Amino acid sequence: MDKKKEQFLKRLHETFRIEAEEHIRMISSGLLELEKNPGRDRFRELVETTFREAHSLKGAARSVDMRDVESLCQRLETVLSSLKQGKIALSLPVLDLMHQAVNIITQIVFSAQNEQTESGMPNIRKVIRQLDDITTMSALPDEPEDPGENTQITDTE
């Protein structure tokens, strides 16, 4: 690779990390506020804002070919969309899984090698599968049959 292209890619990744840091911060903040069981209107606002941040991060990750970050963000979008549409209820297991996804995204984005290796991140495929399961089933296996109001967080442990 020639020096100019190498420098360009380095600057592109540095810019991505700066942008990603803000998106990750906003997603995490939204998830933490959702844990506080906000009212219906605030719940909808938080879900929408968090969805948009995940969507923006997904696009940014695609531009720098970070496929695992893109995949995780896509799954977060799908879960948030399902929450917004009332297809699933917000629960502690759902929140915990979304936090796990954000933690993995953070590790990938800020890893020293800046390389995505499945051996270094063994939980990626598992978390992607679990996020997919949330939206393809009516509820997580350990959730109660009637999860109740969409804005209520249920502790199933």
Side-chain angles (χ1 to χ4, degrees), residues 7-100:
Q7 288 175 339
F8 171 75
L9 290 175
K10 184 178 179 182
R11 283 195 316 271
L12 184 64
H13 278 275
E14 288 170 3
T15 302
F16 167 74
R17 278 198 282 296
I18 292 166
E19 181 181 344
E21 183 176 13
E22 180 64 17
H23 292 306
I24 290 167
R25 188 181 64 73
M26 295 299 293
I27 293 167
S28 294
S29 176
L31 294 177
L32 289 171
E33 197 166 336
L34 283 169
E35 287 180 14
K36 297 176 184 174
N37 199 17
R40 184 181 304 275
D41 290 340
R42 183 67 180 142
F43 173 85
R44 288 182 182 141
E45 180 184 323
L46 286 167
V47 170
E48 182 61 33
T49 300
T50 307
F51 174 91
R52 284 194 315 266
E53 292 294 335
H55 180 75
S56 295
L57 181 55
K58 178 183 76 175
R62 182 181 299 131
S63 73
V64 294
D65 200 31
M66 291 190 128
R67 291 190 176 114
D68 286 334
V69 172
E70 182 183 351
S71 292
L72 285 163
C73 287
Q74 175 62 51
R75 278 23 179 242
L76 285 173
E77 279 183 311
T78 303
V79 171
L80 290 161
S81 178
S82 293
L83 285 168
K84 185 170 43 173
Q85 296 169 15
K87 293 180 180 179
I88 62 172
L90 187 61
S91 65
L92 290 179
V94 170
L95 280 165
D96 287 346
L97 192 54
M98 289 194 293
H99 280 296
Q100 284 179 40

